[in-house]
Amino acid sequence: MAGFVSIRNLRKSYGTFEALKGIDLEIEKGEVVCVVGPSGSGKSTLIRCINRLESFSDDSTILVDGTPVMPGRALAKVRAEVGMVFQGFNLFPHLTVRENVMLAPRRVRGANRATAGEQADRLLQRVGISEQADKYPDYLSGGQQQRVAIARALAMEPQVMLFDEPTSALDPEMVGEVLDVMRDLAGTGVTMVIVTHEMGFASQVADRVIFMDGGEIVEAGPPNELLGAPKHPRTRNFLSAVLNH
Amino acid sequence: MNLVETFFNVDVFLRTWPLLIEGLWVTLQLGAASIVAGLIVGLFLSLFRLYGVAPVRVIARLYIDIFRSIPVLVLLIVVYYALPFVGVRMSPFASAMTALTIVSGAYTAEIFRAGIEAIPKGQFEAAAALGLTGPQRMRDVILPQAVKIVIPPLTNNSINVVKDTALASVVAMPDLLKQATQAQALAANPTPLIVAAVIYLAFLWPAVLFVTRLERRFGARSS
């Protein structure tokens, strides 16, 4: 049975280097999937393919809710249903925090200013940033910026949320506040695909953990199995390297 | 005749002043019209050059390179004196504005391109990931940031356009320089030219200072 996000034979090369070597992955509605693995394993490339920020081979297929993720006019429509949170936040510096959250609902969904503003304030409250709504992103800490970025993505009421190493660029003391917001979100039944190095978070929140290495999925399973009793030696090596530091 | 009577003759100054003001008015109109038209041409050219399909990109690039290589004066003479042979006859104002706009558009296109390319890739990606279409990404996310960056070079280019309006005197356009040379001939005295120089200075020096200040401020912020 096809999942809500259905990835089949996903291949991508940079010149002769194969970044993704034919990934097959089905993600169910409401599922929280964490993708772990060493850097250069292709995990970021994988989730950037889901909304086609990265192009991929023509014989690969990605379906989101049955719609193929193909270049062309329909792509913006698919992207509107797929929220993304980046490692580097990527807030719009010329807009206030509230305007950052309001922009896409107004432009893409045609929401009016009042509706979009109320929704933005609701979301900002949910991620704990209400007091900063009229500030510009540059005046916020990294943790606050990332929480705004989550609110901005949620404003489109996406079917799927993609997180590309959302805490990797943060100072250690700010990681927790962002993970808390994500944990709350996971509890609301949103489908989430999270590339992360936070093993503790993955083990608590994920329904399924996927270990990638060398552009392939090496092993996948529930967190207690994959993180607790990994079968594959590459998984074991990676986990012991991560956990012993 | 001493130096003051020759170059700063008050009598000549008073007699020719109205003529110069008429010329100034023409210069300002021509300058403003060419700057605005050049900005519009340049913006679209830069977008064609960056995001057009392959043949459009090549044409935009050729346009930009060619018209940055041709002296404005040559282009102006071609437009005013040569185009009538193929049935295109334009007034001196229209000819001058056409030539200035074509060239200013080429420079402006390069300025906008640099501004757009200076915006981090993450901004394009974040806008795309939210489901904004290409034109929406440009209008709402990229250009508002790019325009801020390119204000100093755009102002510089505008100063050049205003200075180049003086070339229009070649095609009998009654701009500031033309009026000044005419007044000089009538009065048999170079005072009107000196006054014209002072008028150019009065308008363009503040613009130059403005650019310097902006550049210093942007420089201070980025360091």
Side-chain angles (χ1 to χ4, degrees), chain A residues 9 25 34 59 112 129 147 177 189 239:
Chain A
N9 187 34
L25 180 62
C34 283
D59 54 7
N112 65 40
I129 306 279
R147 285 185 279 152
E177 64 192 64
L239 289 176

Side-chain angles (χ1 to χ4, degrees), chain A residues 48 51 53 76 79-80 82 84 86 90-94 103-104 107-108 152-153 156, chain B residues 121-123 125-133 136-137 139-142 144-145 148:
Chain A
R48 286 166 57 83
N51 61 356
L53 287 183
R79 283 171 169 168
V82 181
M84 186 159 205
F86 299 85
N90 297 345
L91 293 178
F92 305 133
H94 62 298
L103 178 67
R107 291 287 181 264
V108 181
R152 179 177 69 176
M156 290 300 285
Chain B
K121 196 167 148 241
Q123 293 290 308
E125 290 184 348
L130 284 167
L132 298 177
T133 62
Q136 286 172 334
R137 278 175 244 162
R139 199 189 62 188
D140 294 319
V141 176
I142 304 305
Q145 299 182 58
K148 226 181 189 170

Side-chain angles (χ1 to χ4, degrees), chain B residues 119-173:
Chain B
I119 304 302
K121 196 167 148 241
Q123 293 290 308
F124 291 84
E125 290 184 348
L130 284 167
L132 298 177
T133 62
Q136 286 172 334
R137 278 175 244 162
M138 268 297 134
R139 199 189 62 188
D140 294 319
V141 176
I142 304 305
L143 286 180
Q145 299 182 58
V147 164
K148 226 181 189 170
I149 299 175
V150 299
I151 285 174
L154 280 183
T155 312
N156 263 332
N157 182 61
S158 300
I159 292 168
N160 284 334
V161 172
V162 174
K163 284 195 290 187
D164 284 347
T165 57
L167 297 171
S169 56
V170 172
V171 294
M173 173 89 181

Side-chain angles (χ1 to χ4, degrees), chain A residues 22-78:
Chain A
I23 304 270
D24 292 295
L25 180 62
E26 305 291 329
I27 298 165
E28 304 304 322
K29 199 163 178 60
E31 195 180 8
V32 176
V33 176
C34 283
V35 185
V36 301
S39 56
S41 59
K43 54 196 194 303
S44 279
T45 310
L46 167 66
I47 74 162
R48 286 166 57 83
C49 284
I50 295 177
N51 61 356
R52 206 155 181 138
L53 287 183
E54 297 288 345
S55 62
F56 47 81
S57 164
D58 288 337
D59 54 7
S60 309
T61 333
I62 297 183
L63 304 174
V64 174
D65 198 11
T67 312
V69 185
M70 298 280 285
R73 291 202 174 274
L75 184 57
K77 285 212 176 69
V78 177

